Amino acid sequence: MKKRVLAALLSTTMVASLLAGCGSSGSSNTASSDAGAATEASSDAGSSASAGGTKVGVSMPTKDLQRWNQDGSNMESELKAAGYDVDLQFASNDVATQVSQIENMISSGANVLVIAAIEGSSLGSALDKAKEAGIPVIAYDRLLMNSDAVSYYATFDNYKVGTVQGNYIVDALDLKNAAGPFNLEITAGDPGDNNANYFYSGAMDVLQPYIDEGKLNVVSGQTKFDDVATPTWATETAQSRAENILSSYYADGTNVDVWLCSNDSTALGVENALAANYSGTYPIITGQDCDIENTKNMIAGKQSMSVFKDTRTLASQVVKMTGQILSGQTVDVNDTTTYDNGTGVIPSFLCEPVFADANNYKEILIDSGYYTEDQLK
Ligand code: BGC
């Protein structure tokens, strides 16, 4: 309860002043003085200030997409380095598996749960058990919906990811000046993932005025989220929808100028479909995550941009929050207004997404040690 009161009390100005990059000391210090009540909401569930003998259950959605393997292994190594025992599980994109893995974590004595949900609204029963057992839950990257068992949320600024993609398209096509019309198609993410709506809305808030003006023309007519969504973010699903669009609307030689894709796994599907079914001028294609295959495609000119979300930074932030929760300290948050999960606003820490393309990938991906040069060959 207390954390909701806190959410209401924090002023907008205060929150704005906290919006610094992930893990910056400035945000940490400022948050500390004001987020005390948020800490209290969970501090009774964990008491030990030292990590020794303390177990953290980390539940990841799947190994099928590159990003979650990275998140899982970063979380595991960072938690171990901080002295925690770690129970890391991947749920094969199967909700029932994720529920039972979380239940096992609870019964085997996890002190904190860190959960990246397959479907944000489908873990209610497991989350209720965590709450009954007094185990704090951190929603990782994806918000856990409709449950009052969620203590904190750590993610990237999801709406901003979408605006970065939308603004890239505006600049690349010079939409402010050019007359157009340019042909646009849209591929969004998983309807069960709360993030997918934020990505889509962020991009569409930027692009919709140009669609309304007629500068952007969605030839397939498919613009609504439900029409462009991709269940489980699967590359194959994005690919087969793109193939259908290309054969139905572009087989007569019409060019597709731009394809807004919410992330890299869906962008890859679109790129595969274009390679096999399209011979017109190659479109601008957006993405997100800087997955290895997509970064290779950026270098090869088959994808225009991506949005880099440094999973190392998110993992460090979550490890830090875990320690703060368990030792009863103030927990670092920098957003207490955006993410209402249906039971109230969940105090959140938003990391900064970073624009990436073929011009800056070396600096942000290789120089930072995220990938080796060989991995991108
Ligand atoms: C993440 C994205 C990712 C997508 C598919 C989303 O929840 O925020 O980074 O591309 O899931 O894994």
Side-chain angles (χ1 to χ4, degrees):
M1 272 297 112
K2 277 183 181 168
K3 72 187 175 200
R4 303 226 182 85
V5 176
L6 167 85
L9 290 178
L10 276 175
S11 73
T12 321
T13 333
M14 193 183 294
V15 170
S17 76
L18 300 180
L19 283 169
C22 204
S24 84
S25 59
S27 107
S28 159
N29 292 340
T30 324
S32 297
S33 59
D34 298 297
T39 305
E40 282 172 43
S42 304
S43 61
D44 55 351
S47 50
S48 161
S50 91
T54 305
K55 199 197 283 187
V56 181
V58 180
S59 170
M60 290 285 144
T62 176
K63 281 190 166 175
D64 288 354
L65 299 179
Q66 188 197 314
R67 113 141 255 213
W68 306 108
N69 293 281
Q70 263 163 307
D71 287 278
S73 72
N74 290 336
M75 280 298 300
E76 186 172 41
S77 57
E78 295 241 5
L79 284 165
K80 282 187 173 162
Y84 295 102
D85 295 336
V86 184
D87 183 359
L88 169 65
Q89 303 289 336
F90 293 86
S92 309
N93 261 340
D94 181 63
V95 173
T97 301
Q98 189 163 38
V99 168
S100 88
Q101 288 175 339
I102 294 169
E103 287 173 351
N104 283 338
M105 290 173 187
I106 295 169
S107 57
S108 66
N111 299 84
V112 173
L113 293 172
V114 175
I115 301 172
I118 298 163
E119 264 178 33
S121 298
S122 302
L123 298 178
S125 58
L127 297 177
D128 288 348
K129 288 187 181 144
K131 192 178 173 195
E132 274 162 34
I135 304 171
V137 174
I138 302 177
Y140 184 94
D141 194 81
R142 300 171 169 176
L143 189 55
L144 294 158
M145 303 302 291
N146 306 318
S147 166
D148 63 0
V150 186
S151 309
Y152 295 96
Y153 180 35
T155 189
F156 291 85
D157 186 336
N158 295 305
Y159 184 81
K160 185 167 178 187
V161 169
T163 62
V164 168
Q165 295 168 336
N167 284 321
Y168 176 81
I169 291 172
V170 170
D171 291 345
L173 293 174
D174 191 21
L175 286 178
K176 288 189 179 132
N177 303 303
F182 299 101
N183 293 335
L184 164 74
E185 295 298 336
I186 302 164
T187 296
D190 184 346
D193 177 354
N194 189 54
N195 289 355
N197 262 305
Y198 280 91
F199 304 144
Y200 170 83
S201 307
M204 291 306 278
D205 285 353
V206 175
L207 298 177
Q208 191 65 48
Y210 297 101
I211 296 175
D212 295 343
E213 211 185 324
K215 280 192 183 181
L216 288 175
N217 175 30
V218 183
V219 179
S220 69
Q222 297 168 23
T223 54
K224 291 202 189 79
F225 179 78
D226 287 347
D227 296 333
V228 301
T230 312
T232 73
W233 298 93
T235 297
E236 301 69 26
T237 309
Q239 181 170 340
S240 61
R241 178 170 164 266
E243 283 166 357
N244 284 337
I245 289 176
L246 290 171
S247 65
S248 307
Y249 303 99
Y250 295 92
D252 61 357
T254 305
N255 279 328
V256 55
D257 299 300
V258 51
W259 207 305
L260 169 71
C261 298
S262 284
N263 85 330
D264 278 357
S265 60
T266 55
L268 199 59
V270 169
E271 287 150 25
N272 292 343
L274 287 164
N277 303 280
Y278 176 77
S279 53
T281 310
Y282 201 80
I284 291 162
I285 302 178
T286 64
Q288 163 185 199
D289 292 333
C290 289
D291 283 352
I292 290 177
E293 285 312 306
N294 299 73
T295 307
K296 286 184 186 169
N297 276 359
M298 287 202 291
I299 297 165
K302 294 181 196 160
Q303 180 170 321
S304 317
M305 59 83 75
S306 191
V307 180
F308 180 47
K309 300 179 11 182
D310 193 330
T311 54
R312 295 169 301 191
T313 332
L314 183 59
S316 321
Q317 180 61 29
V318 172
V319 173
K320 184 176 175 187
M321 291 164 88
T322 302
Q324 289 168 333
I325 292 171
L326 288 170
S327 60
Q329 289 169 40
T330 298
V331 176
D332 235 1
V333 292
N334 62 11
D335 184 297
T336 51
T337 56
T338 308
Y339 289 98
D340 188 326
N341 82 340
T343 67
V345 172
I346 305 300
S348 307
F349 196 102
L350 311 187
C351 299
E352 276 293 302
V354 173
F355 171 82
D357 69 0
N359 297 317
N360 73 356
Y361 83 92
K362 278 197 178 135
E363 192 187 322
I364 60 172
L365 299 175
I366 294 178
D367 297 353
S368 78
Y370 204 72
Y371 295 139
T372 62
E373 220 144 352
D374 278 353
Q375 284 177 291
L376 299 179
K377 277 183 186 150

